[in-house]
C-alpha cells in the first residue's frame, strides 16, 4: 500500500515538472530580451552583481523548484520507509512452534499409593515327561484342563515293554531251575564228602555253581522288576492337582525318555508376580492389595513371599512374589492381569527421558514453558529411574510444563504453543 502511494506521488510530480517546463519555455519564446526594460541599479550593485537576464532568473527558479521537490519526495519516502519496515518485520515473524509437553503434578498427587502391573502365576509349575521312550498311543489332556492327582494325561504303546517283561520272566524261570539243580548238586556233595566219594575240587565247583545260579536269579529278578516299572511308566499321570498350561506331544508321536510332554501348574498356591523399582524395595510392606482386572471391586490381600536378591539386567527392577490366600470360590485364572497397590513414600516427579538434555557444561536441563508462551532452559537435578521415566529431585515445581519432544531444536525465548 505504501509503495503504491509513493509511485502515484512520483508520477504526479513528474507531470507537474513537465507542465512547468512547457510554461516557462513558452514565456521565453514570447519575451524579447532587447525590448525588456533594464532595472535601475546602484553603483554598488553594478560593481558586485552582474547583469542576469530574465530567462536566467527563471532557470534558477526552476532549479530551486526541482531541488525543493527532491527534498519533499525524499522526506515522504523516508517517512514511509519505517512503516514498510514494520509491516515487513511483522510479516517475517514465524508463528509459535507447537510442542509436546507434560505438566509436573502437584505434591499431593504424588503422595498416594504405589501401583504396579502384576501377573497371576502358580508357585509350582512342573514340566511332565515320559520316563521311557516309545510311541504315544493316546493323548487324554488338553491345554486349560483341570486335572486331579493321578489323572492319566497320555498313554504309550506297551507292546515292546510287555515283550521285554515276558523275556525277562522266562529267563528268570530258567535261572531259578538252574539254581535248583546247583543247590541239589551241592547238597549231594556235602553228603558224600565225609565218605570220601567227592574230592575237594568237586565240592568247590559245586559250591561256586550254586552261588552263581543264586546271583543270576537275583539279577534277573531285578531286571524283571524294572521292566514292570517301565510298563507302569507307559501311562503319564499328574503328580498333583492343577491346570495343564502347555502340551508338546500328540498321538502317534515317537518320544524319548525325558522329552517334555505337558506343563502342569499346581493350583494349591497362587501368586501375584510384579517388578519393583529399586527405590521402592526398602518400603515394601508385608502385605499388598491385589486387584484383578476382571474383578476391580474385589481387592485381595496377598502376603509377600519372595523378593529377588538381584535386579534384572534390562529393567534394573526386582521381581516380587506375593502369595494369594486360598478361597472357596474358583481360583484366579493363571496368566491373568492384575494391579498391586501399597502405601509408599512420596515419589518424585517423573518425566520422559527424552525431555532431559545436557548443557555445554555437562549439567542436565529441561525446557520449561513460561507464562508468556516462550521456552526457557532450566537446570535440574536427576533422581532415580522410575520404570520408563526419570525422576527429578530438584529444579521443577508443581504445574510446570516441560517440553518432551524436539528439545534439541529449540532456542531460549522461542515462542511455542501447547496442544
Amino acid at each position: 500500500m505504501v509503495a503504491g502511494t509513493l509511485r502515484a506521488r512520483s508520477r504526479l510530480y513528474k507531470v507537474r515538472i513537465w507542465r512547468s517546463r512547457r510554461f516557462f519555455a513558452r514565456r521565453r519564446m514570447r519575451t524579447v530580451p532587447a525590448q525588456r526594460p533594464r532595472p535601475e541599479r546602484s553603483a554598488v550593485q553594478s560593481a558586485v552583481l552582474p547583469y542576469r537576464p530574465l530567462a536566467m532568473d527563471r532557470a534558477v527558479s526552476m532549479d530551486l523548484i526541482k531541488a525543493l521537490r527532491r527534498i519533499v519526495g525524499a522526506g515522504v519516502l523516508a517517512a514511509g520507509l519505517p512503516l514498510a519496515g514494520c509491516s515487513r518485520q511483522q510479516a517475517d515473524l514465524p508463528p509459535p512452534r507447537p510442542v509436546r509437553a507434560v505438566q509436573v503434578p502437584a505434591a499431593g498427587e504424588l503422595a498416594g499409593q504405589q501401583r504396579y502391573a502384576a501377573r497371576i502365576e502358580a508357585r509350582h509349575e512342573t514340566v511332565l515327561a515320559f520316563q521311557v521312550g516309545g510311541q504315544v498311543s493316546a493323548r487324554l489332556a488338553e491345554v486349560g484342563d483341570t486335572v486331579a492327582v493321578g489323572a492319566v494325561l497320555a498313554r504309550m504303546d506297551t507292546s515292546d515293554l510287555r515283550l521285554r517283561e515276558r523275556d525277562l520272566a522266562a529267563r528268570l524261570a530258567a535261572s531259578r531251575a538252574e539254581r535248583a539243580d546247583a543247590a541239589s548238586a551241592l547238597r549231594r556233595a556235602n553228603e558224600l564228602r565225609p565218605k570220601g566219594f567227592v574230592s575237594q575240587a568237586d565240592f568247590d565247583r559245586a559250591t561256586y555253581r550254586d552261588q552263581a545260579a543264586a546271583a543270576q536269579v537275583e539279577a534277573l529278578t531285578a531286571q524283571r522288576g524294572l521292566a514292570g516299572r517301565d510298563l507302569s511308566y507307559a501311562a503319564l499321570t499328574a503328580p498333583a492337582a492343577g491346570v495343564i498350561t502347555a502340551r508338546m506331544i500328540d498321538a502317534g508321536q515317537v518320544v524319548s525318555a525325558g522329552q517334555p510332554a505337558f506343563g502342569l501348574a499346581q493350583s494349591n498356591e497362587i501368586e501375584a508376580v510384579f517388578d519393583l523399582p529399586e527405590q521402592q524395595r526398602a518400603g515394601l510392606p508385608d502385605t499388598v492389595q491385589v486387584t484383578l482386572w476382571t474383578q476391580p471391586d474385589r481387592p485381595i490381600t496377598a502376603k509377600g513371599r519372595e523378593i529377588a536378591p538381584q535386579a534384572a539386567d534390562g529393567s534394573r527392577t526386582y521381581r516380587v512374589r506375593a502369595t494369594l490366600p486360598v478361597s472357596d470360590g474358583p481360583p484366579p485364572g493363571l496368566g491373568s492381569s492384575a494391579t498391586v497397590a501399597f502405601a509408599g513414600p512420596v515419589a518424585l516427579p517423573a518425566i520422559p527421558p527424552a525431555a532431559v538434555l545436557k548443557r555445554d557444561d555437562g549439567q542436565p536441563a529441561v525446557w520449561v514453558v513460561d507464562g508468556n508462551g516462550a521456552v526457557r532452559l532450566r537446570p535440574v537435578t536427576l533422581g532415580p529411574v522410575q520404570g520408563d521415566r526419570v525422576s527429578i529431585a530438584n529444579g521443577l515445581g508443581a504445574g510446570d510444563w516441560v517440553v518432551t519432544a524436539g528439545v534439541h531444536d529449540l532456542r531460549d525465548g522461542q515462542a511455542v504453543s501447547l496442544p
Side-chain angles (χ1 to χ4, degrees), residues 202-278:
D202 293 337
F203 179 78
D204 291 341
R205 280 195 294 270
T207 303
Y208 296 151
R209 181 170 172 241
D210 179 69
Q211 293 177 356
Q216 183 70 18
V217 169
E218 184 178 358
L220 290 175
T221 301
Q223 291 181 15
R224 185 185 180 186
L226 290 176
R229 292 185 61 181
D230 291 346
L231 187 60
S232 66
Y233 291 154
L236 182 60
T237 59
V243 180
I244 301 297
T245 59
R247 175 183 63 82
M248 287 79 78
I249 63 170
D250 208 340
Q253 181 178 354
V254 178
V255 298
S256 59
Q259 180 178 340
F262 293 93
L264 177 66
Q266 301 182 19
S267 57
N268 53 355
E269 291 189 44
I270 305 298
E271 297 180 337
V273 182
F274 61 98
D275 296 326
L276 191 67
E278 183 178 0

Side-chain angles (χ1 to χ4, degrees), residues 379-403:
V380 295
T381 302
L382 300 182
V385 178
Q386 299 181 10
D388 59 345
R389 296 193 166 211
V390 58
S391 60
I392 304 299
N394 190 12
L396 292 179
D400 288 342
W401 284 95
V402 180
V403 179

